[in-house]
Coordinates of all heavy atoms in Angstrom, one line a residue:
M1 N -160.2 -84.3 101.0 CA -160.6 -83.8 102.3 C -162.0 -83.3 102.4 O -162.7 -83.3 103.3 CB -159.6 -82.7 102.8 CG -158.2 -83.3 103.1 SD -158.3 -84.7 104.3 CE -157.3 -85.9 103.4
C2 N -162.4 -82.7 101.2 CA -163.8 -82.2 101.1 C -164.8 -83.2 101.4 O -165.8 -83.0 102.1 CB -164.0 -81.6 99.7 SG -164.7 -80.0 99.7
K3 N -164.6 -84.4 100.9 CA -165.5 -85.5 101.1 C -165.7 -85.8 102.6 O -166.8 -86.1 103.0 CB -164.9 -86.8 100.4 CG -165.7 -87.0 99.1 CD -165.2 -88.3 98.4 CE -165.8 -88.5 97.0 NZ -165.1 -89.5 96.2
D4 N -164.5 -85.8 103.3 CA -164.6 -86.1 104.7 C -165.5 -85.1 105.5 O -166.2 -85.6 106.4 CB -163.1 -86.1 105.3 CG -162.4 -87.4 105.0 OD1 -163.1 -88.4 104.7 OD2 -161.2 -87.4 105.0
S5 N -165.4 -83.9 105.1 CA -166.2 -82.9 105.9 C -167.7 -83.1 105.6 O -168.5 -82.8 106.4 CB -165.7 -81.5 105.6 OG -166.3 -80.9 104.5
N6 N -168.0 -83.5 104.3 CA -169.4 -83.7 104.0 C -169.9 -84.9 104.8 O -171.0 -84.9 105.3 CB -169.5 -84.1 102.5 CG -169.6 -82.9 101.6 OD1 -169.8 -81.8 102.1 ND2 -169.3 -83.0 100.4
L7 N -169.1 -85.9 105.0 CA -169.4 -87.1 105.7 C -169.7 -86.7 107.2 O -170.7 -87.2 107.8 CB -168.3 -88.1 105.6 CG -168.7 -89.5 106.0 CD1 -169.7 -90.1 105.0 CD2 -167.5 -90.4 106.2
T8 N -168.9 -85.8 107.7 CA -169.1 -85.4 109.1 C -170.4 -84.7 109.3 O -171.1 -84.9 110.3 CB -167.9 -84.5 109.5 OG1 -166.7 -85.1 109.1 CG2 -167.9 -84.3 111.0
T9 N -170.7 -83.8 108.3 CA -172.0 -83.1 108.4 C -173.2 -84.1 108.4 O -174.1 -84.0 109.2 CB -172.2 -82.1 107.2 OG1 -171.0 -81.4 107.1 CG2 -173.3 -81.2 107.4
L10 N -173.1 -85.1 107.5 CA -174.1 -86.1 107.4 C -174.3 -86.9 108.7 O -175.4 -87.1 109.2 CB -173.8 -87.0 106.3 CG -174.9 -88.0 105.8 CD1 -176.0 -87.2 105.2 CD2 -174.4 -89.0 104.8
E11 N -173.1 -87.2 109.3 CA -173.1 -87.9 110.6 C -173.8 -87.1 111.7 O -174.6 -87.6 112.5 CB -171.7 -88.4 111.0 CG -171.2 -89.5 110.2 CD -172.1 -90.8 110.3 OE1 -172.4 -91.2 111.4 OE2 -172.4 -91.3 109.2
A12 N -173.5 -85.8 111.6 CA -174.0 -84.9 112.7 C -175.5 -84.8 112.5 O -176.3 -84.8 113.5 CB -173.4 -83.5 112.5
L13 N -176.0 -84.8 111.2 CA -177.4 -84.8 111.0 C -178.1 -86.0 111.5 O -179.2 -86.0 112.1 CB -177.7 -84.6 109.5 CG -177.8 -83.2 109.0 CD1 -177.9 -83.2 107.4 CD2 -179.0 -82.5 109.6
K14 N -177.5 -87.1 111.2 CA -178.1 -88.4 111.6 C -178.2 -88.5 113.1 O -179.2 -89.0 113.7 CB -177.2 -89.6 111.1 CG -177.4 -90.0 109.7 CD -176.6 -91.2 109.4 CE -176.7 -91.6 107.9 NZ -175.6 -92.5 107.5
C15 N -177.2 -87.9 113.8 CA -177.2 -87.9 115.2 C -178.3 -87.1 115.7 O -179.0 -87.4 116.7 CB -175.9 -87.3 115.7 SG -175.1 -88.1 117.0
R16 N -178.5 -85.9 115.1 CA -179.6 -85.0 115.5 C -181.0 -85.7 115.3 O -181.9 -85.6 116.2 CB -179.5 -83.8 114.6 CG -180.6 -82.7 114.8 CD -180.2 -81.7 115.9 NE -181.3 -80.8 116.1 CZ -182.0 -80.9 117.3 NH1 -181.8 -81.8 118.2 NH2 -183.0 -80.1 117.5
I17 N -181.1 -86.4 114.2 CA -182.4 -87.1 113.9 C -182.6 -88.2 115.0 O -183.7 -88.3 115.5 CB -182.4 -87.7 112.5 CG1 -182.5 -86.6 111.5 CG2 -183.6 -88.7 112.3 CD1 -182.2 -87.0 110.1
R18 N -181.6 -88.9 115.4 CA -181.7 -89.9 116.4 C -182.2 -89.3 117.7 O -183.0 -89.8 118.4 CB -180.4 -90.6 116.6 CG -180.3 -91.9 115.8 CD -179.2 -92.8 116.3 NE -177.9 -92.2 116.2 CZ -177.1 -92.3 115.2 NH1 -177.5 -93.0 114.1 NH2 -175.9 -91.7 115.1
D19 N -181.6 -88.1 118.0 CA -182.0 -87.4 119.3 C -183.5 -87.1 119.2 O -184.2 -87.2 120.2 CB -181.2 -86.1 119.4 CG -179.8 -86.3 120.0 OD1 -179.6 -87.5 120.5 OD2 -179.1 -85.4 120.1
L20 N -183.9 -86.6 118.1 CA -185.3 -86.2 118.0 C -186.2 -87.4 118.1 O -187.3 -87.3 118.8 CB -185.6 -85.5 116.6 CG -185.1 -84.1 116.5 CD1 -185.2 -83.6 115.1 CD2 -185.8 -83.2 117.4
E21 N -185.8 -88.5 117.5 CA -186.6 -89.7 117.6 C -186.7 -90.2 119.1 O -187.7 -90.7 119.5 CB -186.0 -90.8 116.7 CG -186.4 -90.7 115.3 CD -185.7 -91.6 114.4 OE1 -184.7 -92.2 114.8 OE2 -186.0 -91.7 113.2
K22 N -185.6 -90.1 119.8 CA -185.6 -90.5 121.2 C -186.5 -89.6 122.0 O -187.3 -90.1 122.8 CB -184.1 -90.3 121.7 CG -183.5 -91.6 122.1 CD -182.1 -91.4 122.8 CE -181.0 -91.2 121.7 NZ -179.8 -90.7 122.3
Q23 N -186.6 -88.3 121.7 CA -187.5 -87.4 122.4 C -188.9 -87.8 122.1 O -189.7 -87.8 123.1 CB -187.3 -86.0 121.8 CG -186.6 -85.0 122.7 CD -186.4 -83.7 122.0 OE1 -187.2 -83.2 121.3 NE2 -185.2 -83.1 122.3
L24 N -189.2 -88.2 120.9 CA -190.6 -88.6 120.6 C -191.0 -89.9 121.3 O -192.1 -90.0 121.8 CB -190.8 -88.8 119.1 CG -190.8 -87.5 118.2 CD1 -190.9 -87.8 116.8 CD2 -192.1 -86.7 118.6
S25 N -190.1 -90.8 121.3 CA -190.4 -92.1 121.9 C -190.5 -92.0 123.4 O -191.1 -92.8 124.1 CB -189.4 -93.2 121.5 OG -188.1 -92.9 122.0
R26 N -189.9 -90.9 124.0 CA -190.0 -90.7 125.4 C -191.4 -90.2 125.8 O -191.7 -90.1 127.0 CB -189.0 -89.7 125.9 CG -187.7 -90.3 126.4 CD -187.1 -89.4 127.5 NE -187.1 -88.0 127.1 CZ -186.1 -87.4 126.5 NH1 -185.0 -88.0 126.1 NH2 -186.2 -86.1 126.1
G27 N -192.2 -89.9 124.8 CA -193.6 -89.4 125.1 C -193.7 -87.9 125.2 O -194.7 -87.5 125.8
D28 N -192.8 -87.2 124.7 CA -192.9 -85.7 124.8 C -194.1 -85.2 124.0 O -194.5 -84.1 124.2 CB -191.6 -85.1 124.3 CG -190.5 -85.1 125.4 OD1 -190.8 -85.7 126.4 OD2 -189.4 -84.7 125.1
R29 N -194.5 -86.0 123.1 CA -195.7 -85.5 122.2 C -197.0 -85.5 123.0 O -197.9 -84.9 122.6 CB -195.8 -86.3 121.0 CG -196.1 -87.8 121.3 CD -195.9 -88.7 120.1 NE -195.4 -90.0 120.6 CZ -195.4 -91.1 119.9 NH1 -195.9 -91.1 118.7 NH2 -195.0 -92.2 120.3
Y30 N -197.0 -86.2 124.2 CA -198.2 -86.2 124.9 C -198.2 -85.1 126.0 O -198.5 -85.4 127.1 CB -198.4 -87.6 125.6 CG -198.6 -88.7 124.6 CD1 -198.0 -89.9 124.8 CD2 -199.5 -88.5 123.5 CE1 -198.3 -90.9 123.9 CE2 -199.7 -89.5 122.6 CZ -199.1 -90.7 122.8 OH -199.3 -91.7 121.9
K31 N -197.9 -83.9 125.5 CA -197.9 -82.8 126.4 C -199.0 -81.9 126.1 O -199.3 -81.7 124.9 CB -196.5 -82.1 126.3 CG -195.6 -82.6 127.4 CD -194.3 -81.7 127.4 CE -193.4 -82.3 128.5 NZ -192.0 -81.8 128.3
C32 N -199.6 -81.3 127.1 CA -200.7 -80.4 126.9 C -200.1 -79.1 126.4 O -199.2 -78.6 126.9 CB -201.4 -80.1 128.3 SG -202.6 -78.8 128.2
L33 N -200.7 -78.6 125.3 CA -200.2 -77.4 124.6 C -200.5 -76.2 125.4 O -199.9 -75.1 125.2 CB -200.9 -77.3 123.2 CG -200.5 -78.2 122.1 CD1 -201.4 -78.0 120.9 CD2 -199.0 -77.9 121.7
I34 N -201.4 -76.3 126.3 CA -201.8 -75.1 127.1 C -200.9 -74.8 128.3 O -200.4 -73.8 128.5 CB -203.3 -75.2 127.6 CG1 -204.2 -75.6 126.4 CG2 -203.8 -73.9 128.2 CD1 -204.1 -74.7 125.2
C35 N -200.7 -75.9 129.1 CA -199.8 -75.7 130.3 C -198.4 -76.3 130.0 O -197.6 -76.1 130.9 CB -200.5 -76.3 131.5 SG -200.8 -78.1 131.4
M36 N -198.2 -76.9 128.9 CA -196.9 -77.4 128.5 C -196.4 -78.5 129.5 O -195.2 -78.6 129.7 CB -195.8 -76.3 128.4 CG -196.2 -75.3 127.3 SD -196.6 -76.1 125.8 CE -195.2 -75.5 124.8
D37 N -197.4 -79.2 130.1 CA -197.0 -80.2 131.1 C -197.6 -81.5 130.5 O -198.4 -81.5 129.6 CB -197.6 -79.9 132.4 CG -196.7 -80.2 133.5 OD1 -195.9 -81.1 133.3 OD2 -196.8 -79.6 134.6
C38 N -197.1 -82.6 131.1 CA -197.7 -83.9 130.7 C -199.1 -84.0 131.2 O -199.4 -83.4 132.2 CB -196.8 -85.1 131.3 SG -195.3 -85.2 130.5
Y39 N -200.0 -84.7 130.4 CA -201.3 -84.8 130.8 C -201.4 -85.7 132.1 O -200.8 -86.7 132.2 CB -202.1 -85.6 129.8 CG -202.2 -84.9 128.4 CD1 -201.7 -85.5 127.3 CD2 -202.8 -83.7 128.3 CE1 -201.7 -84.9 126.1 CE2 -202.9 -83.0 127.1 CZ -202.3 -83.6 126.0 OH -202.4 -83.0 124.8
T40 N -202.2 -85.2 133.1 CA -202.6 -86.0 134.2 C -203.9 -86.7 133.9 O -204.0 -87.9 133.9 CB -202.6 -85.2 135.5 OG1 -203.2 -83.9 135.2 CG2 -201.3 -85.1 136.1
I41 N -204.9 -85.8 133.5 CA -206.2 -86.4 133.1 C -206.5 -85.8 131.7 O -207.1 -84.7 131.6 CB -207.3 -86.0 134.1 CG1 -206.9 -86.4 135.5 CG2 -208.6 -86.6 133.7 CD1 -207.8 -85.9 136.6
P42 N -206.1 -86.5 130.7 CA -206.4 -85.9 129.3 C -207.9 -86.0 128.9 O -208.5 -87.1 129.1 CB -205.5 -86.8 128.4 CG -205.3 -88.0 129.1 CD -205.4 -87.8 130.6
L43 N -208.4 -85.0 128.4 CA -209.8 -85.0 128.0 C -209.8 -84.5 126.5 O -209.1 -83.6 126.2 CB -210.7 -84.0 128.8 CG -210.9 -84.3 130.3 CD1 -211.8 -83.2 130.9 CD2 -211.5 -85.7 130.5
T44 N -210.8 -85.0 125.7 CA -210.9 -84.6 124.4 C -212.3 -84.0 124.2 O -213.3 -84.4 124.9 CB -210.7 -85.7 123.3 OG1 -210.7 -85.1 122.0 CG2 -211.7 -86.8 123.4
S45 N -212.5 -83.1 123.3 CA -213.8 -82.5 123.0 C -214.4 -83.2 121.8 O -213.7 -83.5 120.8 CB -213.7 -81.0 122.7 OG -214.8 -80.6 122.0
I46 N -215.7 -83.6 121.8 CA -216.3 -84.2 120.7 C -216.6 -83.2 119.6 O -217.0 -83.6 118.5 CB -217.6 -85.0 121.1 CG1 -218.6 -84.1 121.8 CG2 -217.3 -86.2 122.0 CD1 -220.0 -84.7 121.9
Q47 N -216.3 -81.9 119.9 CA -216.5 -80.9 118.9 C -215.3 -80.8 117.9 O -215.5 -80.6 116.7 CB -216.7 -79.5 119.5 CG -218.0 -79.5 120.4 CD -219.3 -79.7 119.7 OE1 -219.4 -79.4 118.5 NE2 -220.2 -80.4 120.4
C48 N -214.1 -80.9 118.4 CA -212.9 -80.7 117.6 C -211.9 -81.7 117.8 O -210.9 -81.8 117.1 CB -212.3 -79.3 117.8 SG -211.7 -79.1 119.4
W49 N -212.1 -82.6 118.8 CA -211.1 -83.7 119.1 C -209.8 -83.2 119.5 O -208.8 -84.0 119.4 CB -211.0 -84.7 117.9 CG -212.4 -85.3 117.6 CD1 -213.2 -85.0 116.6 CD2 -213.1 -86.2 118.4 NE1 -214.4 -85.7 116.7 CE2 -214.4 -86.5 117.8 CE3 -212.8 -86.9 119.6 CZ2 -215.3 -87.3 118.3 CZ3 -213.8 -87.8 120.1 CH2 -215.0 -88.0 119.4
H50 N -209.6 -82.0 119.9 CA -208.4 -81.6 120.5 C -208.3 -82.2 121.9 O -209.3 -82.3 122.6 CB -208.3 -80.1 120.6 CG -207.9 -79.5 119.2 ND1 -208.5 -78.4 118.7 CD2 -206.9 -79.9 118.4 CE1 -208.0 -78.2 117.5 NE2 -207.0 -79.0 117.3
V51 N -207.1 -82.5 122.4 CA -206.8 -83.1 123.7 C -206.1 -82.1 124.5 O -205.0 -81.6 124.1 CB -206.0 -84.4 123.6 CG1 -205.8 -85.0 125.0 CG2 -206.8 -85.4 122.7
H52 N -206.6 -81.8 125.7 CA -206.0 -81.0 126.7 C -206.2 -81.6 128.0 O -207.1 -82.4 128.2 CB -206.5 -79.5 126.7 CG -206.5 -78.9 125.4 ND1 -205.3 -78.6 124.7 CD2 -207.5 -78.4 124.6 CE1 -205.6 -78.0 123.5 NE2 -206.9 -77.9 123.4
C53 N -205.4 -81.2 129.0 CA -205.7 -81.8 130.3 C -207.0 -81.2 130.9 O -207.4 -80.1 130.6 CB -204.5 -81.7 131.3 SG -203.9 -80.0 131.5
E54 N -207.6 -81.9 131.9 CA -208.8 -81.6 132.4 C -208.8 -80.1 133.0 O -209.7 -79.3 132.8 CB -209.2 -82.6 133.6 CG -210.5 -82.3 134.2 CD -210.9 -83.3 135.3 OE1 -210.0 -83.6 136.1 OE2 -212.0 -83.8 135.3
E55 N -207.7 -79.9 133.7 CA -207.6 -78.6 134.4 C -207.6 -77.4 133.4 O -208.3 -76.4 133.6 CB -206.2 -78.5 135.1 CG -206.2 -77.8 136.4 CD -204.8 -77.8 137.0 OE1 -204.2 -78.9 137.2 OE2 -204.3 -76.7 137.2
C56 N -206.9 -77.6 132.2 CA -206.9 -76.5 131.2 C -208.2 -76.4 130.5 O -208.7 -75.3 130.3 CB -205.8 -76.8 130.2 SG -204.1 -76.7 130.9
W57 N -208.9 -77.5 130.3 CA -210.2 -77.4 129.7 C -211.2 -76.6 130.6 O -211.8 -75.7 130.2 CB -210.8 -78.8 129.5 CG -210.5 -79.4 128.1 CD1 -209.8 -80.6 127.9 CD2 -210.9 -79.0 126.8 NE1 -209.8 -80.9 126.6 CE2 -210.5 -79.9 125.9 CE3 -211.7 -77.9 126.4 CZ2 -210.7 -79.7 124.5 CZ3 -211.9 -77.7 125.0 CH2 -211.4 -78.6 124.1
L58 N -211.2 -77.0 131.9 CA -212.2 -76.5 132.8 C -211.9 -75.0 133.0 O -212.8 -74.2 133.2 CB -212.2 -77.3 134.1 CG -212.7 -78.7 133.9 CD1 -212.8 -79.4 135.2 CD2 -214.1 -78.7 133.2
R59 N -210.6 -74.7 133.1 CA -210.2 -73.3 133.3 C -210.6 -72.4 132.1 O -211.2 -71.3 132.3 CB -208.7 -73.1 133.5 CG -208.3 -71.8 134.1 CD -206.8 -71.6 134.1 NE -206.0 -72.7 134.7 CZ -205.0 -73.3 134.1 NH1 -204.6 -72.9 132.9 NH2 -204.3 -74.2 134.7
T60 N -210.4 -72.9 130.9 CA -210.8 -72.2 129.7 C -212.3 -72.1 129.5 O -212.9 -71.0 129.3 CB -210.2 -72.9 128.4 OG1 -208.8 -73.1 128.6 CG2 -210.4 -72.0 127.2
L61 N -213.0 -73.3 129.8 CA -214.4 -73.3 129.6 C -215.1 -72.4 130.7 O -216.3 -72.0 130.5 CB -215.0 -74.7 129.6 CG -214.5 -75.6 128.5 CD1 -215.1 -77.0 128.5 CD2 -214.7 -74.9 127.1
G62 N -214.5 -72.3 131.8 CA -215.0 -71.4 132.9 C -215.1 -70.0 132.4 O -216.0 -69.2 132.8
A63 N -214.1 -69.6 131.6 CA -214.1 -68.2 131.1 C -214.9 -68.0 129.9 O -215.7 -67.1 129.8 CB -212.6 -67.8 130.9
K64 N -214.7 -68.9 128.9 CA -215.5 -68.8 127.6 C -215.6 -70.2 127.1 O -214.8 -71.0 127.3 CB -214.8 -67.9 126.6 CG -213.3 -68.2 126.4 CD -212.6 -67.2 125.6 CE -211.1 -67.3 125.6 NZ -210.5 -68.2 124.7
K65 N -216.8 -70.5 126.5 CA -217.1 -71.8 126.0 C -216.4 -72.1 124.7 O -217.1 -72.4 123.7 CB -218.6 -72.0 125.9 CG -219.3 -71.8 127.3 CD -219.4 -73.0 128.1 CE -220.1 -72.8 129.4 NZ -219.3 -72.1 130.4
L66 N -215.1 -72.1 124.7 CA -214.3 -72.3 123.4 C -213.1 -73.2 123.7 O -212.5 -73.2 124.8 CB -213.8 -70.9 122.9 CG -214.8 -69.9 122.5 CD1 -214.1 -68.6 122.2 CD2 -215.7 -70.3 121.3
C67 N -212.8 -74.0 122.7 CA -211.6 -74.8 122.7 C -210.4 -73.8 122.8 O -210.3 -72.9 122.0 CB -211.5 -75.7 121.5 SG -209.8 -76.5 121.3
P68 N -209.5 -74.0 123.7 CA -208.3 -73.1 123.8 C -207.4 -73.2 122.6 O -206.5 -72.3 122.5 CB -207.6 -73.6 125.1 CG -208.1 -74.9 125.4 CD -209.5 -75.0 124.8
Q69 N -207.5 -74.2 121.8 CA -206.6 -74.4 120.7 C -207.1 -73.9 119.4 O -206.4 -73.3 118.6 CB -206.2 -75.9 120.6 CG -205.0 -76.1 119.7 CD -204.5 -77.5 119.7 OE1 -204.9 -78.3 120.6 NE2 -203.8 -77.9 118.6
C70 N -208.4 -74.1 119.1 CA -209.0 -73.7 117.8 C -210.2 -72.9 117.9 O -210.8 -72.5 116.9 CB -209.3 -75.0 117.0 SG -210.6 -76.0 117.7
N71 N -210.7 -72.5 119.2 CA -211.8 -71.7 119.4 C -213.1 -72.2 118.9 O -214.0 -71.5 118.6 CB -211.6 -70.3 118.8 CG -210.5 -69.5 119.6 OD1 -210.4 -69.7 120.8 ND2 -209.7 -68.7 118.9
T72 N -213.2 -73.6 118.8 CA -214.5 -74.2 118.5 C -215.4 -74.1 119.7 O -214.9 -74.3 120.8 CB -214.3 -75.6 118.1 OG1 -213.6 -75.7 116.9 CG2 -215.7 -76.3 117.8
I73 N -216.7 -73.8 119.5 CA -217.6 -73.7 120.7 C -217.7 -75.1 121.4 O -218.0 -76.1 120.7 CB -219.0 -73.2 120.2 CG1 -218.8 -71.7 119.7 CG2 -220.0 -73.2 121.4 CD1 -220.0 -71.2 119.0
T74 N -217.4 -75.1 122.6 CA -217.3 -76.3 123.4 C -217.9 -76.1 124.8 O -217.7 -75.1 125.4 CB -215.8 -76.8 123.6 OG1 -215.2 -76.7 122.3 CG2 -215.7 -78.1 124.2
S75 N -218.7 -77.1 125.2 CA -219.2 -77.0 126.6 C -218.7 -78.2 127.4 O -218.2 -79.2 126.8 CB -220.7 -77.0 126.6 OG -221.2 -78.3 126.2
P76 N -218.6 -78.0 128.7 CA -218.1 -79.1 129.5 C -218.7 -80.5 129.2 O -218.0 -81.5 129.4 CB -218.3 -78.7 131.0 CG -218.4 -77.2 130.9 CD -219.1 -76.9 129.5
G77 N -219.9 -80.5 128.8 CA -220.6 -81.8 128.4 C -220.0 -82.5 127.2 O -220.3 -83.6 126.9
D78 N -219.3 -81.7 126.4 CA -218.6 -82.3 125.2 C -217.3 -83.0 125.5 O -216.7 -83.6 124.6 CB -218.4 -81.2 124.2 CG -219.7 -80.5 123.7 OD1 -220.7 -81.2 123.6 OD2 -219.6 -79.3 123.4
L79 N -216.9 -82.9 126.7 CA -215.5 -83.4 127.0 C -215.6 -84.9 127.3 O -216.6 -85.4 128.0 CB -214.9 -82.7 128.2 CG -214.7 -81.2 128.0 CD1 -214.1 -80.6 129.2 CD2 -213.9 -80.9 126.8
R80 N -214.7 -85.7 126.8 CA -214.6 -87.1 127.1 C -213.2 -87.5 127.6 O -212.3 -87.0 127.1 CB -214.9 -87.9 125.8 CG -216.3 -87.7 125.2 CD -217.4 -88.4 126.0 NE -218.7 -88.1 125.5 CZ -219.5 -87.1 125.7 NH1 -219.1 -86.1 126.5 NH2 -220.6 -86.9 125.1
R81 N -213.2 -88.4 128.5 CA -211.9 -88.9 129.0 C -211.2 -89.7 127.9 O -211.9 -90.5 127.2 CB -212.2 -89.8 130.2 CG -210.9 -90.4 130.8 CD -210.3 -89.4 131.8 NE -209.3 -90.1 132.6 CZ -208.1 -90.3 132.3 NH1 -207.6 -89.9 131.1 NH2 -207.2 -90.9 133.1
V82 N -209.9 -89.5 127.7 CA -209.2 -90.3 126.7 C -208.0 -91.0 127.4 O -207.5 -90.5 128.4 CB -208.6 -89.5 125.5 CG1 -209.7 -89.2 124.5 CG2 -207.9 -88.2 126.0
Y83 N -207.7 -92.2 126.9 CA -206.6 -92.9 127.4 C -205.5 -93.0 126.4 O -205.7 -93.7 125.3 CB -207.1 -94.3 127.8 CG -208.1 -94.2 128.9 CD1 -209.5 -94.1 128.6 CD2 -207.7 -94.1 130.3 CE1 -210.4 -93.9 129.6 CE2 -208.7 -94.0 131.3 CZ -210.0 -93.9 130.9 OH -211.0 -93.7 131.9
L84 N -204.4 -92.3 126.6 CA -203.3 -92.3 125.6 C -202.4 -93.5 125.7 O -202.2 -94.0 126.7 CB -202.5 -91.0 125.7 CG -203.4 -89.7 125.5 CD1 -202.5 -88.5 125.9 CD2 -203.8 -89.6 124.1
Ligands
ZN101 ZN1 -202.9 -78.5 130.5
ZN102 ZN1 -210.1 -77.5 119.3

């Protein structure tokens, strides 16, 4: 019987992994870390190559000229449109 319960745990784990893979393939990874929303207009900085949505970049750069993720000095001129 011990063997059976091990098997069940393994199956449960496999199920969990499948769920996670499904989440990834749905595109959840393309979410802006700042506003936790899907990108509408994703922009990357040529300084650190982090991607955030345009709104978050401009809001952050309006207050201080730093990447909101890694604090690399960034100006609005360093931003480039990306197509994911
Ligand atoms: Zn955002
Ligand atoms: Zn950065």
Side-chain angles (χ1 to χ4, degrees):
M1 290 307 128
C2 226
K3 256 184 188 164
D4 280 338
S5 87
N6 278 342
L7 197 69
T8 314
T9 312
L10 192 66
E11 284 304 309
L13 270 175
K14 276 185 188 165
C15 224
R16 178 88 187 105
I17 290 168
R18 265 199 297 273
D19 275 354
L20 286 171
E21 280 173 347
K22 245 184 275 169
Q23 252 176 37
L24 285 175
S25 64
R26 264 209 317 267
D28 282 359
R29 65 197 143 159
Y30 293 139
K31 266 188 180 161
C32 174
L33 285 172
I34 308 306
C35 61
M36 300 309 248
D37 219 334
C38 287
Y39 298 117
T40 37
I41 307 169
L43 295 180
T44 188
S45 159
I46 56 167
Q47 300 299 329
C48 65
W49 300 105
H50 281 132
V51 179
H52 306 297
C53 54
E54 182 181 45
E55 217 185 301
C56 290
W57 269 119
L58 294 181
R59 198 189 307 129
T60 310
L61 297 184
K64 48 191 169 82
K65 302 271 179 282
L66 298 172
C67 168
Q69 196 175 339
C70 67
N71 289 329
T72 296
I73 296 168
T74 309
S75 71
D78 296 327
L79 302 179
R80 298 288 179 272
R81 180 82 167 86
V82 281
Y83 299 89
L84 298 172

